[in-house]
PDB file of all heavy atoms in Angstrom:
ATOM      1  N   VAL A 236      -2.820  28.349   9.410  1.00 93.00           N
ATOM      2  CA  VAL A 236      -2.856  27.084   8.662  1.00 93.00           C
ATOM      3  C   VAL A 236      -3.547  25.942   9.398  1.00 93.00           C
ATOM      4  O   VAL A 236      -3.901  24.931   8.784  1.00 93.00           O
ATOM      5  CB  VAL A 236      -1.427  26.640   8.279  1.00 93.00           C
ATOM      6  CG1 VAL A 236      -0.790  27.650   7.338  1.00 93.00           C
ATOM      7  CG2 VAL A 236      -0.556  26.445   9.513  1.00 93.00           C
ATOM      8  N   ASP A 237      -3.732  26.069  10.717  1.00 95.00           N
ATOM      9  CA  ASP A 237      -4.339  24.951  11.447  1.00 95.00           C
ATOM     10  C   ASP A 237      -4.904  25.413  12.786  1.00 95.00           C
ATOM     11  O   ASP A 237      -4.791  26.585  13.161  1.00 95.00           O
ATOM     12  CB  ASP A 237      -3.323  23.829  11.670  1.00 95.00           C
ATOM     13  CG  ASP A 237      -2.188  24.208  12.626  1.00 95.00           C
ATOM     14  OD1 ASP A 237      -2.110  25.387  13.031  1.00 95.00           O
ATOM     15  OD2 ASP A 237      -1.376  23.325  12.975  1.00 95.00           O
ATOM     16  N   THR A 238      -5.502  24.461  13.498  1.00 96.00           N
ATOM     17  CA  THR A 238      -5.935  24.657  14.880  1.00 96.00           C
ATOM     18  C   THR A 238      -5.104  23.754  15.770  1.00 96.00           C
ATOM     19  O   THR A 238      -4.953  22.560  15.486  1.00 96.00           O
ATOM     20  CB  THR A 238      -7.424  24.321  15.051  1.00 96.00           C
ATOM     21  OG1 THR A 238      -8.211  25.209  14.256  1.00 96.00           O
ATOM     22  CG2 THR A 238      -7.845  24.460  16.512  1.00 96.00           C
ATOM     23  N   ILE A 239      -4.532  24.328  16.831  1.00 95.00           N
ATOM     24  CA  ILE A 239      -3.736  23.555  17.790  1.00 95.00           C
ATOM     25  C   ILE A 239      -4.559  23.404  19.064  1.00 95.00           C
ATOM     26  O   ILE A 239      -4.988  24.404  19.661  1.00 95.00           O
ATOM     27  CB  ILE A 239      -2.410  24.257  18.123  1.00 95.00           C
ATOM     28  CG1 ILE A 239      -1.658  24.631  16.845  1.00 95.00           C
ATOM     29  CG2 ILE A 239      -1.538  23.367  19.004  1.00 95.00           C
ATOM     30  CD1 ILE A 239      -0.555  25.637  17.067  1.00 95.00           C
ATOM     31  N   LYS A 240      -4.789  22.175  19.478  1.00 96.00           N
ATOM     32  CA  LYS A 240      -5.568  21.892  20.678  1.00 96.00           C
ATOM     33  C   LYS A 240      -4.693  21.226  21.719  1.00 96.00           C
ATOM     34  O   LYS A 240      -4.185  20.124  21.509  1.00 96.00           O
ATOM     35  CB  LYS A 240      -6.759  20.985  20.341  1.00 96.00           C
ATOM     36  CG  LYS A 240      -7.605  20.593  21.537  1.00 96.00           C
ATOM     37  CD  LYS A 240      -8.270  21.787  22.194  1.00 96.00           C
ATOM     38  CE  LYS A 240      -9.117  21.356  23.391  1.00 96.00           C
ATOM     39  NZ  LYS A 240      -9.711  22.519  24.085  1.00 96.00           N
ATOM     40  N   PHE A 241      -4.484  21.917  22.849  1.00 94.00           N
ATOM     41  CA  PHE A 241      -3.754  21.344  23.970  1.00 94.00           C
ATOM     42  C   PHE A 241      -4.754  20.714  24.933  1.00 94.00           C
ATOM     43  O   PHE A 241      -5.709  21.375  25.359  1.00 94.00           O
ATOM     44  CB  PHE A 241      -2.956  22.426  24.711  1.00 94.00           C
ATOM     45  CG  PHE A 241      -1.630  22.733  24.080  1.00 94.00           C
ATOM     46  CD1 PHE A 241      -1.565  23.406  22.870  1.00 94.00           C
ATOM     47  CD2 PHE A 241      -0.453  22.361  24.695  1.00 94.00           C
ATOM     48  CE1 PHE A 241      -0.352  23.691  22.282  1.00 94.00           C
ATOM     49  CE2 PHE A 241       0.777  22.643  24.116  1.00 94.00           C
ATOM     50  CZ  PHE A 241       0.823  23.308  22.904  1.00 94.00           C
ATOM     51  N   LEU A 242      -4.532  19.454  25.302  1.00 96.00           N
ATOM     52  CA  LEU A 242      -5.408  18.776  26.252  1.00 96.00           C
ATOM     53  C   LEU A 242      -4.784  18.791  27.639  1.00 96.00           C
ATOM     54  O   LEU A 242      -3.593  18.531  27.809  1.00 96.00           O
ATOM     55  CB  LEU A 242      -5.646  17.323  25.829  1.00 96.00           C
ATOM     56  CG  LEU A 242      -6.371  17.099  24.496  1.00 96.00           C
ATOM     57  CD1 LEU A 242      -6.668  15.615  24.307  1.00 96.00           C
ATOM     58  CD2 LEU A 242      -7.655  17.905  24.418  1.00 96.00           C
ATOM     59  N   ASN A 243      -5.603  19.084  28.625  1.00 95.00           N
ATOM     60  CA  ASN A 243      -5.178  19.064  30.021  1.00 95.00           C
ATOM     61  C   ASN A 243      -5.102  17.612  30.505  1.00 95.00           C
ATOM     62  O   ASN A 243      -5.482  16.675  29.792  1.00 95.00           O
ATOM     63  CB  ASN A 243      -6.163  19.863  30.866  1.00 95.00           C
ATOM     64  CG  ASN A 243      -5.543  20.364  32.154  1.00 95.00           C
ATOM     65  OD1 ASN A 243      -4.480  19.898  32.574  1.00 95.00           O
ATOM     66  ND2 ASN A 243      -6.192  21.304  32.802  1.00 95.00           N
ATOM     67  N   ILE A 244      -4.637  17.406  31.715  1.00 96.00           N
ATOM     68  CA  ILE A 244      -4.627  16.078  32.323  1.00 96.00           C
ATOM     69  C   ILE A 244      -6.046  15.519  32.336  1.00 96.00           C
ATOM     70  O   ILE A 244      -6.993  16.203  32.755  1.00 96.00           O
ATOM     71  CB  ILE A 244      -4.064  16.146  33.753  1.00 96.00           C
ATOM     72  CG1 ILE A 244      -2.600  16.579  33.733  1.00 96.00           C
ATOM     73  CG2 ILE A 244      -4.204  14.805  34.464  1.00 96.00           C
ATOM     74  CD1 ILE A 244      -2.017  16.850  35.107  1.00 96.00           C
ATOM     75  N   ASN A 245      -6.217  14.292  31.833  1.00 97.00           N
ATOM     76  CA  ASN A 245      -7.495  13.585  31.796  1.00 97.00           C
ATOM     77  C   ASN A 245      -8.532  14.197  30.862  1.00 97.00           C
ATOM     78  O   ASN A 245      -9.658  13.712  30.778  1.00 97.00           O
ATOM     79  CB  ASN A 245      -8.115  13.451  33.200  1.00 97.00           C
ATOM     80  CG  ASN A 245      -7.257  12.648  34.147  1.00 97.00           C
ATOM     81  OD1 ASN A 245      -6.560  11.736  33.726  1.00 97.00           O
ATOM     82  ND2 ASN A 245      -7.277  13.002  35.426  1.00 97.00           N
ATOM     83  N   GLU A 246      -8.191  15.266  30.158  1.00 98.00           N
ATOM     84  CA  GLU A 246      -9.135  15.882  29.234  1.00 98.00           C
ATOM     85  C   GLU A 246      -9.283  15.002  27.993  1.00 98.00           C
ATOM     86  O   GLU A 246      -8.330  14.355  27.555  1.00 98.00           O
ATOM     87  CB  GLU A 246      -8.660  17.269  28.824  1.00 98.00           C
ATOM     88  CG  GLU A 246      -9.649  18.033  27.953  1.00 98.00           C
ATOM     89  CD  GLU A 246      -9.177  19.445  27.596  1.00 98.00           C
ATOM     90  OE1 GLU A 246      -8.090  19.837  28.070  1.00 98.00           O
ATOM     91  OE2 GLU A 246      -9.909  20.122  26.851  1.00 98.00           O
ATOM     92  N   THR A 247     -10.484  14.985  27.407  1.00 97.00           N
ATOM     93  CA  THR A 247     -10.723  14.193  26.207  1.00 97.00           C
ATOM     94  C   THR A 247     -11.204  15.083  25.063  1.00 97.00           C
ATOM     95  O   THR A 247     -11.774  16.147  25.285  1.00 97.00           O
ATOM     96  CB  THR A 247     -11.769  13.093  26.461  1.00 97.00           C
ATOM     97  OG1 THR A 247     -13.002  13.693  26.865  1.00 97.00           O
ATOM     98  CG2 THR A 247     -11.289  12.126  27.551  1.00 97.00           C
ATOM     99  N   LEU A 248     -10.971  14.608  23.854  1.00 97.00           N
ATOM    100  CA  LEU A 248     -11.405  15.287  22.653  1.00 97.00           C
ATOM    101  C   LEU A 248     -11.879  14.244  21.651  1.00 97.00           C
ATOM    102  O   LEU A 248     -11.150  13.312  21.328  1.00 97.00           O
ATOM    103  CB  LEU A 248     -10.238  16.100  22.054  1.00 97.00           C
ATOM    104  CG  LEU A 248     -10.513  16.768  20.706  1.00 97.00           C
ATOM    105  CD1 LEU A 248     -11.499  17.921  20.873  1.00 97.00           C
ATOM    106  CD2 LEU A 248      -9.207  17.286  20.087  1.00 97.00           C
ATOM    107  N   THR A 249     -13.088  14.404  21.174  1.00 96.00           N
ATOM    108  CA  THR A 249     -13.622  13.496  20.160  1.00 96.00           C
ATOM    109  C   THR A 249     -13.312  14.055  18.778  1.00 96.00           C
ATOM    110  O   THR A 249     -13.648  15.206  18.477  1.00 96.00           O
ATOM    111  CB  THR A 249     -15.143  13.323  20.317  1.00 96.00           C
ATOM    112  OG1 THR A 249     -15.420  12.792  21.622  1.00 96.00           O
ATOM    113  CG2 THR A 249     -15.686  12.362  19.270  1.00 96.00           C
ATOM    114  N   LEU A 250     -12.666  13.251  17.949  1.00 91.00           N
ATOM    115  CA  LEU A 250     -12.307  13.700  16.593  1.00 91.00           C
ATOM    116  C   LEU A 250     -13.485  13.527  15.631  1.00 91.00           C
ATOM    117  O   LEU A 250     -14.308  12.657  15.818  1.00 91.00           O
ATOM    118  CB  LEU A 250     -11.099  12.900  16.089  1.00 91.00           C
ATOM    119  CG  LEU A 250      -9.820  13.029  16.895  1.00 91.00           C
ATOM    120  CD1 LEU A 250      -8.709  12.200  16.249  1.00 91.00           C
ATOM    121  CD2 LEU A 250      -9.380  14.483  17.038  1.00 91.00           C
TER     122      LEU A 250
END
Side-chain angles (χ1 to χ4, degrees):
V236 296
D237 67 353
T238 297
I239 308 164
K240 178 63 180 177
F241 277 71
L242 297 187
N243 203 344
I244 296 172
N245 298 328
E246 185 178 358
T247 60
L248 174 70
T249 300
L250 299 181

